[in-house]
Amino acid sequence: MRSRVRTAKALPAWLGRPRRAVAGVMLGALCWLAPPAGAQQAAGEPAGAKPAAVPDTAGPGQDKVLRVCQDPNNLPFSSRSQAGFENRIAALFAQELGWKLETTWFPQRIGFIRNTLHAKEENSDRFKCDLVTGVPAGFEMAATTQPYYHSSYALVYVKDRGKGLDGVRDLDGVLALNPAQRGKLRFGVFSASPMIDWLLKNDLMSQVEWYQIQSGDAEEYPGQTIERDLASGKIDLAFVWGPIAGYVAHNKRSVPIVAVPLASRPGMKLDFEIAMGVRQADKAFRQRIDQLISANQGKINAILEQYGVPLLDQKGQALRMSQRAGTP
């Protein structure tokens, strides 16, 4: 497997969101998840802009190389060490195709699509990469494949911390806490989160510790920040994109963290579908990736479950409740 490291001048931080995604907030991102919900522009890209699709004369895969665009430091999604679930799914696809896997690294922040999927090699007609391994379904800066997973936002807290949170299973459980107890809680929330309206409605905004989608530190990713601040007691409860929440709880590297997936409510969408992105002109390649997703959905789900990703079916119901450490 070949891996090309690219240095890029991008604003440090993440898109955690799960990436910036839809009109609500989803990491955004690729961590860096930001808002997911309707398909919103990637951070830093011109509003309403749809880059002109420049056909690659060779075409994706003509040389039997699967070129993917990924963030070098955004676990659980991807990392230069190939430790993320998007890394593993890309490797699965390359194996199924019988192709080599090549990665172009770029922080999933401002200019990600412009500097990866729509950028060409210097002095060449070949694009740097052909497949973005995690974008919101309906993402406007690329042609999207069928979704390969469906997840939701979650709340996370440290078990047995004496804050009254043990046993909380949903948002109503937070509101059911003794008012004096609830009034002492510190909530960790990323800017542009779909939880903001709920916090406002329930008069909890004064208790929020805000996290910026772009933190200014390229060496730190959202899950790392949330785990550290929960462990230190800086925050008591955080609302984050499900894959990040599940990963932090599943790894339990410092303290026992519980992740509770949240269900969408009328007027508050918390679950989103994630697909992959290709250039608009690469219709045959997109169909090929769709076929790979369909043929390997079981294997993909198995990988996602190993990272603690809360999975939902098309109706937004839990696909499977795995009894593992880190789940209530």
Side-chain angles (χ1 to χ4, degrees):
M1 177 188 303
R2 295 174 54 208
S3 179
R4 298 177 299 172
V5 177
R6 301 188 181 286
T7 45
K9 295 181 179 179
L11 290 182
W14 64 310
L15 211 204
R17 357 185 141 216
R19 305 161 177 202
R20 256 195 115 122
V22 207
V25 150
M26 168 197 127
L27 184 143
L30 296 169
C31 182
W32 330 229
L33 255 193
Q40 141 181 337
Q41 294 287 347
E45 304 291 356
K50 288 190 177 181
V54 181
D56 184 344
T57 53
Q62 293 299 311
D63 56 356
K64 298 190 180 303
V65 177
L66 179 62
R67 294 180 173 85
V68 300
C69 330
Q70 295 181 330
D71 190 312
N73 184 36
N74 193 18
L75 290 173
F77 306 97
S78 62
S79 74
R80 188 176 280 108
S81 65
Q82 303 291 336
F85 65 74
E86 290 185 12
N87 300 127
R88 291 184 56 187
I89 293 171
L92 170 64
F93 284 7
Q95 180 180 21
E96 291 291 314
L97 291 165
W99 297 357
K100 292 181 180 179
L101 177 62
E102 188 172 283
T103 305
T104 288
W105 303 110
F106 195 93
Q108 186 123 9
R109 304 179 180 90
I110 288 178
F112 178 77
I113 296 295
R114 183 177 67 250
N115 287 283
T116 56
L117 192 66
H118 290 295
K120 289 192 174 183
E121 298 277 9
E122 188 173 356
N123 301 318
S124 171
D125 281 336
R126 185 183 299 284
F127 286 98
K128 291 180 178 179
C129 51
D130 304 312
L131 181 68
V132 179
T133 48
V135 298
F139 185 59
E140 295 180 0
M141 297 301 295
T144 55
T145 65
Q146 66 187 55
Y148 70 98
Y149 75 93
H150 183 185
S151 191
S152 69
Y153 271 77
L155 61 82
V156 290
Y157 59 84
V158 178
K159 187 178 180 181
D160 300 326
R161 188 52 81 72
K163 299 289 184 176
L165 294 169
D166 293 343
V168 168
R169 298 291 188 273
D170 52 27
L171 294 176
D172 291 337
V174 176
L175 297 179
L177 295 173
N178 178 286
Q181 201 171 33
R182 188 175 64 244
K184 295 178 181 178
L185 295 177
R186 294 295 299 173
F187 299 93
V189 182
F190 282 93
S191 59
S193 169
M195 295 303 306
I196 292 176
D197 286 345
W198 181 84
L199 291 163
L200 278 167
K201 179 180 178 181
N202 293 288
D203 197 26
L204 296 171
M205 291 292 279
S206 63
Q207 297 169 232
V208 171
E209 181 73 27
W210 292 103
Y211 294 91
Q212 296 302 315
I213 291 170
Q214 296 189 339
S215 69
D217 185 355
E219 298 306 313
E220 186 159 311
Y221 52 89
Q224 193 175 26
T225 303
I226 292 300
E227 181 180 13
R228 181 194 64 223
D229 289 358
L230 282 171
S232 70
K234 182 177 181 179
I235 56 175
D236 304 301
L237 183 156
F239 296 110
V240 294
W241 176 228
I244 299 172
Y247 181 68
V248 169
H250 190 56
N251 280 340
K252 55 175 185 178
R253 286 168 292 199
S254 53
V255 293
I257 293 176
V258 171
V260 181
L262 298 173
S264 292
R265 299 179 172 201
M268 185 170 68
K269 183 169 177 58
L270 299 175
D271 65 288
F272 303 94
E273 293 181 313
I274 303 302
M276 297 187 183
V278 305
R279 288 179 292 278
Q280 299 287 349
D282 294 334
K283 296 180 180 179
F285 182 59
R286 180 176 62 176
Q287 291 175 355
R288 194 161 203 172
I289 300 300
D290 277 337
Q291 292 168 357
L292 284 169
I293 292 172
S294 295
N296 293 279
Q297 190 64 66
K299 294 179 181 178
I300 291 171
N301 287 353
I303 290 172
L304 294 170
E305 287 197 346
Q306 289 173 19
Y307 285 77
V309 177
L311 298 177
L312 307 178
D313 61 21
Q314 292 182 342
K315 296 181 179 179
Q317 301 300 310
L319 199 60
R320 182 182 303 170
M321 292 300 292
S322 300
Q323 298 302 313
R324 58 163 77 91
T327 57

